[in-house]
Amino acid sequence: MQRTSLLRSLFLYLCLFKDTVADAPPNVNEYESAVSHLRQIEAEYQRKRIYTADNIENNLIIPPYDPIKRQYNLKKYRSHNPPSTPPPPPQQLTETVLPLLEISASKNNPKALITLGDLYLFGNYSLPTDYHKAKNYYEKALEVWPDAHAYFMLGFIHSTGLFGEFPVDQKRANLYYQVAAENGDINALQVVAYRNLKGIGVPSNCELALPYLSRLSMMGFDRGRTPIADIDYNIRVSDFNGGLYGEKLSETVSSIDIPSRKYADIRTQIEEQKLNANDHEYATFYYNGLEHLRGDYFTERDFAQAFREFQKCVAIGEEYYGSRDYSNVDRLDRVFLSLCQVNLGRMYLEGLYVEKDASKAQQILQTSLKVKASSEALNQLGIIEEQGLVGEANRTKAMEYYTLASKQKRGAGSKNLAKSLMETVGTGSIESNENRDLIYKHMQQAAYYGSTEALYYVGNFLESGLAHLVEPEERVTCAKIALYYREFMKRLTSFYAPHLKYAFDELASGNFGNALVGYSIAAEQGYEQAQVSAAHLLYQVQPLYTRQETKTFTHDRLNLAIQYLDRASKQGNVDATILLGDIYKGQDGHAQIEPDYERAFNYYRIAADKHSSHGAFKLAEMYEYGLGSENHSVDYFLAKRYYDQSLQYKEKSDLERQTQQLKPTYSSAHINWALLRLRFKHLFNRNSANYRMDEHSSGWFSALKSLGKKTTGEQKSAQQMESLSKADAHHYGTSYDTEFVENYDVGDYLVITLTFIFFLVFFIQNIIRQVRRMRNGNQERREPEPEQQAQDRAEWNGNQFHFRRGNFEFHFFAI
Ligand SMILES: *[C@@H]1O[C@H](CO)[C@@H](O)[C@H](O)[C@H]1NC(C)=O
Ligand SMILES: *[C@@H]1O[C@H](CO)[C@@H](O)[C@H](O)[C@H]1NC(C)=O
Ligand SMILES: *[C@@H]1O[C@H](CO)[C@@H](O)[C@H](O)[C@H]1NC(C)=O
């Protein structure tokens, strides 16, 4: 017994001995072996996701942050699917990899130091994070070797303070970022470009940012050509709950795109239109295939399955219409059958799942032309001709295909046409190309119609001066070039911002702290969606009534959230703008911040200027209560004006949403409800405003008395003009007569009051019903009787009271 164990330990010793000493440079050895172990772990590691496509919507609840333990407090977190504590890291990591790395690090191997830094900062494979250790490792690494990644990470640590862990030091952060960028770190290049462009911590200077942007877009240029766009993880996590303000109030368009969801909706719509069972099965096959081809945040793409779906679709089409040479295909079938063919052809052409087979692709695509001359099919046929994938290359023929394709308002055709033209000259520069006008024109069109690659080219043409040669009257600004380059990068986040995928994976596994790290890296790089996500993980608007414990937010974290929201706001996110206003207004008593009405006012004003209904509403409120407006004066005229605007914008955006019904969005019920609520509040405020303005005559009652004195429409419109000009006078800082008292039309008063009462009744009924439903639904039969009775009584009383009042008004009106 003892002998065997002795032998074993001897054997082990020999193995170790051999492992550590036999191969040449000793400090590389441990590191190499650690890396190979890491690869093994990566291959075997299974994430435990708590969120799936089925449970994340309206259910992504960020748990409160515990500032003492310095982590999100999962225990206090109550939801429909409480996350279990994260699984322990694999033993191989803690018992083999970390010790190996530490040995190598003690020998000052910079790679080992950096890997350790990463592991402790990102918490890979659910290793508990240790930000202080991580920072030390990065700093040690820099003592040995000027590593760009370590510089970048230290820049990030100083810029964010890792959310309260370290003091924020933007000067140092800028320094580190700058050095990292000079050393070619792609993450740092983006940060430096963004900071210079938007003037964050440094003076805003587009000319300085441009070389970085130019270099960056060159780095990702090859990625622009991938046949199937990668999944874009650049999302606002708050959009899973309908946006920063939930479904009803948020105005920013959702960033979430889950094909399986979307296609399921379309499929059911098509199913409903089916006459008999075999109708439109092409659509079903097509969407099934596309779903697998694209994949989403929760499902891996599955080329094999996609291939099978498209193949079935094409085979059925062949069987059914092939003999008649696709002459009289049903209109809807025509669309989807050709889409199936195009996608199948592309899979053959690109060798996705199947062996590359260009002639098979060509055959399928040519068949598809008989069904429908789609631009995708033409485009791919062009590629086959241009590259000579089947037979000899024939550029003339390719250009013919591209020209046809470009006429269909799709980016790819125009882009290929332009590129093909660029190559016809061969060696000469594009500027001297006789077709330069055409090249520029087609490329611009391609960018306009959504080609990612074309964005890069147009940016390049603008920068190189080609654009100026073609269109001398068009002004080329630095900002414009930057716009093209940045848009190009935003389309390729899988390459430029890989931390976004990490952030999402961590979020879906319930590691909110790690998700925050990932999103704030991308936020530093200027991705608006990531900025909102980071801000949302740091600070959340709390529902007015919640059965969960109210959250408190520390000063450090709130400040960081404000910073990210401000950047998102400057990039056009109106919800972020309004949220900033709300934060400064001090709406949330649990956020540690001094109210600053002036700032709140300004944010609301920015939102209102962007035609945000919600923003105009908030601004009106500020005027109504005299918060943050000039000299803190209450101003009902402006309040009314902005309430009116709020209503207008709401109607307009509703209309816009209606016209965009093409892609299924949420039902419009919430919009109507918001509209109703808004109208109700609006009327209420207008009513009370009038009341307060006109104190000696008490509201509609006295107005009724004076009925007949003044009515005519002319008078009314004159008054409106007056009030408007007055509003303008105030808005632009000139003075106006404060003694002025606005007279409302009597009819107005009556309508307002009656409508108000009507809505009040409706509103209260609704609330009571809602409350009752909620209690019935959620409180599991805990002494239901007394409560139930009390509620019934309350409701009955409420109805009775208001109906009586309503009747009273009606009677009065009748008199
Ligand atoms: C840990 O995760 C980060 C973020 O995804 C990644 O950049 C890094 O390479 C990972 N480190 C290791 C050792 O796997
Ligand atoms: C290339 O295609 C054009 C037009 O389709 C045709 O006229 C020409 O003969 C072809 N050239 C070669 C070399 O096949
Ligand atoms: C606000 O107060 C300043 C100084 O007290 C005054 O000059 C200004 O006219 C006031 N503005 C308004 C709109 O009342």
Side-chain angles (χ1 to χ4, degrees):
M1 193 68 199
Q2 260 185 352
R3 258 183 66 189
T4 43
S5 74
L6 192 74
L7 270 177
R8 196 184 296 152
S9 65
L10 193 68
F11 177 71
L12 271 173
Y13 173 74
L14 280 174
C15 287
L16 274 174
F17 188 78
K18 184 172 161 283
D19 235 31
T20 44
V21 176
D23 294 294
N27 58 355
V28 174
N29 194 355
E30 288 105 12
Y31 175 71
E32 296 288 315
S33 131
V35 166
S36 74
H37 278 291
L38 272 174
R39 273 198 213 107
Q40 227 174 51
I41 294 174
E42 191 182 357
E44 287 163 14
Y45 186 69
Q46 293 271 336
R47 267 182 188 285
K48 201 164 143 248
R49 286 196 164 189
I50 59 162
Y51 286 114
T52 63
D54 299 320
N55 70 7
I56 197 166
E57 272 163 315
N58 292 319
N59 190 30
L60 182 66
I61 300 163
I62 314 294
Y65 180 79
D66 186 338
I68 295 158
K69 285 193 192 149
R70 306 204 165 196
Q71 61 193 19
Y72 285 92
N73 195 338
L74 295 177
K75 289 210 186 72
K76 284 190 182 170
Y77 172 99
R78 271 180 255 152
S79 85
H80 307 299
N81 49 320
S84 50
T85 40
Q91 269 193 358
Q92 201 180 1
L93 182 67
T94 47
E95 284 171 18
T96 316
V97 176
L98 289 182
L100 277 174
L101 283 173
E102 250 140 51
I103 294 170
S104 178
S106 68
K107 294 175 189 164
N108 277 341
N109 178 0
K111 281 187 192 159
L113 286 162
I114 287 163
T115 309
L116 278 167
D118 278 353
L119 282 170
Y120 281 116
L121 193 114
F122 290 106
N124 308 48
Y125 318 113
S126 41
L127 180 72
T129 53
D130 187 330
Y131 296 151
H132 286 267
K133 266 192 190 168
K135 183 165 174 266
N136 282 340
Y137 280 124
Y138 288 131
E139 276 164 354
K140 267 202 205 129
L142 286 188
E143 285 167 17
V144 193
W145 175 258
D147 183 81
H149 174 67
Y151 273 116
F152 170 74
M153 291 314 296
L154 283 170
F156 172 70
I157 290 170
H158 285 297
S159 171
T160 56
L162 284 176
F163 329 110
E165 202 85 16
F166 306 104
V168 170
D169 184 345
Q170 290 298 347
K171 276 216 184 80
R172 267 201 202 195
N174 270 332
L175 205 70
Y176 279 117
Y177 279 146
Q178 190 72 38
V179 178
E182 301 308 333
N183 282 307
D185 183 82
I186 186 166
N187 293 306
L189 280 166
Q190 290 175 80
V191 175
V192 173
Y194 174 66
R195 290 195 165 209
N196 279 305
L197 193 66
K198 302 284 172 176
I200 291 161
V202 290
S204 164
N205 188 339
C206 182
E207 313 290 334
L208 262 181
L210 199 57
Y212 293 112
L213 287 172
S214 177
R215 183 167 164 202
L216 275 164
S217 48
M218 197 120 76
M219 285 171 150
F221 173 64
D222 283 338
R223 281 310 200 86
R225 286 185 230 173
T226 47
I228 292 152
D230 289 317
I231 297 160
D232 186 6
Y233 284 96
N234 190 16
I235 52 171
R236 302 181 204 99
V237 294
S238 51
D239 283 349
F240 282 115
N241 295 338
L244 281 172
Y245 279 100
E247 269 187 17
K248 286 163 194 166
L249 272 180
S250 303
E251 291 170 311
T252 309
V253 178
S254 175
S255 57
I256 308 284
D257 177 21
I258 304 180
S260 52
R261 280 294 159 99
K262 209 162 72 182
Y263 299 155
D265 287 347
I266 301 176
R267 271 193 302 249
T268 41
Q269 273 177 25
I270 289 174
E271 295 278 318
E272 279 165 14
Q273 292 175 14
K274 260 187 182 177
L275 291 179
N276 56 51
N278 285 336
D279 258 6
H280 311 314
E281 56 194 345
Y282 302 104
T284 312
F285 282 126
Y286 168 66
Y287 283 118
N288 281 340
L290 201 58
E291 195 181 308
H292 291 296
L293 192 66
R294 288 188 49 188
D296 62 40
Y297 319 122
F298 304 101
T299 357
E300 296 265 324
R301 33 179 69 168
D302 182 348
F303 290 150
Q305 191 60 32
F307 182 81
R308 281 194 283 274
E309 296 284 345
F310 292 136
Q311 206 178 28
K312 257 185 263 171
C313 175
V314 171
I316 290 173
E318 173 71 35
E319 192 183 315
Y320 198 73
Y321 293 114
S323 55
R324 280 172 282 159
D325 211 21
Y326 299 92
S327 51
N328 42 11
V329 187
D330 174 83
R331 194 176 52 87
L332 207 60
D333 288 355
R334 202 175 273 279
V335 173
F336 290 110
L337 177 55
S338 84
L339 283 169
C340 284
Q341 288 164 329
V342 167
N343 277 292
L344 189 65
R346 183 165 61 178
M347 292 190 90
Y348 274 113
L349 189 61
E350 307 280 353
L352 298 174
Y353 175 65
V354 280
E355 283 279 304
K356 249 188 202 188
D357 187 344
S359 58
K360 179 98 183 155
Q362 192 184 37
Q363 181 222 321
I364 296 169
L365 289 165
Q366 254 150 7
T367 312
S368 105
L369 287 190
K370 291 182 197 161
V371 182
K372 185 172 179 285
S374 64
S375 94
E376 287 83 1
L378 290 164
N379 204 18
Q380 283 168 50
L381 284 167
I383 293 173
I384 294 172
E385 288 299 334
E386 186 175 13
Q387 299 181 359
L389 298 177
V390 180
E392 292 238 325
N394 186 337
R395 193 179 292 277
T396 331
K397 210 163 182 177
M399 300 260 272
E400 279 169 16
Y401 278 126
Y402 292 149
T403 313
L404 283 174
S406 72
K407 291 195 175 129
Q408 293 189 23
K409 305 198 171 170
R410 289 289 161 83
S414 304
K415 179 206 72 191
N416 283 331
L417 189 57
K419 274 178 75 175
S420 192
L421 283 168
M422 276 159 73
E423 274 163 32
T424 43
V425 256
T427 48
S429 69
I430 306 170
E431 282 83 0
S432 57
N433 188 324
E434 54 178 351
N435 287 322
R436 69 181 189 205
D437 287 24
L438 267 180
I439 292 172
Y440 181 64
K441 200 193 90 195
H442 284 303
M443 211 46 112
Q444 226 184 8
Q445 198 174 12
Y448 181 80
Y449 287 122
S451 159
T452 301
E453 210 183 332
L455 286 166
Y456 169 79
Y457 278 112
V458 174
N460 225 334
F461 292 164
L462 288 168
E463 201 182 356
S464 71
L466 176 75
H468 185 70
L469 285 176
V470 177
E471 290 176 334
E473 68 282 1
E474 198 78 6
R475 234 166 63 88
V476 178
T477 58
C478 175
K480 195 169 164 186
I481 306 172
L483 203 70
Y484 276 99
Y485 283 150
R486 281 196 81 211
E487 184 58 34
F488 173 76
M489 283 156 56
K490 277 184 214 159
R491 299 261 183 95
L492 298 173
T493 49
S494 63
F495 174 73
Y496 285 106
H499 296 107
L500 286 169
K501 180 173 179 345
Y502 156 77
F504 184 81
D505 284 340
E506 295 293 326
L507 183 81
S509 316
N511 299 330
F512 297 94
N514 290 349
L516 178 57
V517 169
Y519 282 119
S520 46
I521 288 180
E524 291 282 305
Q525 294 170 329
Y527 294 94
E528 180 261 309
Q529 287 85 343
Q531 287 167 346
V532 173
S533 290
H536 186 70
L537 285 168
L538 288 164
Y539 170 81
Q540 307 93 40
V541 191
Q542 295 172 72
L544 275 177
Y545 304 102
T546 171
R547 290 190 291 130
Q548 298 201 351
E549 197 169 321
T550 46
K551 302 175 192 170
T552 49
F553 300 97
T554 63
H555 191 68
D556 288 327
R557 293 170 71 88
L558 184 67
N559 267 349
L560 208 59
I562 287 175
Q563 177 188 309
Y564 286 141
L565 285 173
D566 187 56
R567 292 180 193 172
S569 160
K570 288 198 174 108
Q571 302 201 60
N573 186 319
V574 168
D575 288 335
T577 315
I578 300 170
L579 183 54
L580 281 166
D582 282 356
I583 292 174
Y584 278 118
K585 201 177 153 199
Q587 261 186 1
D588 185 350
H590 297 280
Q592 294 176 16
I593 193 166
E594 281 285 301
D596 183 341
Y597 295 128
E598 244 104 286
R599 280 202 196 190
F601 182 86
N602 280 332
Y603 279 119
Y604 292 145
R605 173 126 97 199
I606 292 169
D609 284 348
K610 284 192 185 141
H611 291 202
S612 148
S613 166
H614 190 193
F617 182 83
K618 292 277 185 177
L619 188 59
E621 250 178 13
M622 296 299 270
Y623 274 118
E624 189 190 341
Y625 298 111
L627 300 174
S629 50
E630 209 182 336
N631 297 352
H632 294 286
S633 59
V634 174
D635 192 324
Y636 293 128
F637 298 104
L638 284 171
K640 174 187 175 298
R641 186 182 165 185
Y642 282 110
Y643 281 128
D644 280 346
Q645 268 187 12
S646 169
L647 207 61
Q648 264 176 30
Y649 296 151
K650 187 83 207 165
E651 275 164 8
K652 211 172 112 192
S653 74
D654 282 350
L655 209 73
E656 269 164 23
R657 278 188 189 231
Q658 264 173 29
T659 50
Q660 284 170 1
Q661 278 287 289
L662 287 170
K663 47 181 176 179
T665 50
Y666 321 107
S667 82
S668 61
H670 69 283
I671 304 172
N672 287 329
W673 168 237
L675 189 64
L676 198 66
R677 192 183 48 78
L678 204 66
R679 197 188 293 272
F680 160 69
K681 274 194 178 168
H682 159 70
L683 285 167
F684 176 76
N685 281 313
R686 192 160 75 161
N687 203 14
S688 71
N690 290 332
Y691 179 82
R692 268 183 265 174
M693 249 187 308
D694 205 350
E695 263 164 17
H696 38 256
S697 60
S698 49
W700 60 273
F701 182 75
S702 71
L704 195 66
K705 283 198 296 190
S706 59
L707 178 72
K709 275 188 201 162
K710 38 195 175 232
T711 34
T712 63
E714 245 181 326
Q715 207 178 340
K716 193 182 163 198
S717 67
Q719 277 167 12
Q720 271 178 352
M721 289 279 287
E722 217 162 341
S723 105
L724 262 183
S725 63
K726 211 172 95 178
D728 279 338
H730 183 94
H731 206 61
Y732 297 115
T734 47
S735 68
Y736 61 91
D737 183 10
T738 40
E739 302 298 298
F740 183 87
V741 175
E742 190 172 9
N743 286 310
Y744 270 83
D745 199 296
V746 178
D748 255 11
Y749 275 95
L750 279 174
V751 172
I752 288 165
T753 319
L754 290 175
T755 328
F756 165 61
I757 285 160
F758 173 76
F759 279 126
L760 196 64
V761 170
F762 184 77
F763 182 72
I764 287 174
Q765 261 184 327
N766 230 315
I767 290 210
I768 288 168
R769 221 175 289 151
Q770 197 88 0
V771 167
R772 198 160 47 153
R773 204 178 306 141
M774 253 171 59
R775 294 212 181 152
N776 281 350
N778 295 342
Q779 247 162 27
E780 293 95 17
R781 265 179 264 130
R782 233 188 304 126
E783 323 157 15
E785 277 167 26
E787 246 186 48
Q788 198 58 44
Q789 272 175 9
Q791 259 176 47
D792 280 348
R793 227 180 359 252
E795 186 198 31
W796 186 81
N797 281 346
N799 274 339
Q800 190 71 359
F801 174 68
H802 287 290
F803 271 124
R804 226 188 270 144
R805 247 183 68 177
N807 280 339
F808 170 70
E809 312 284 2
F810 270 112
H811 285 309
F812 205 90
F813 181 54
I815 296 162

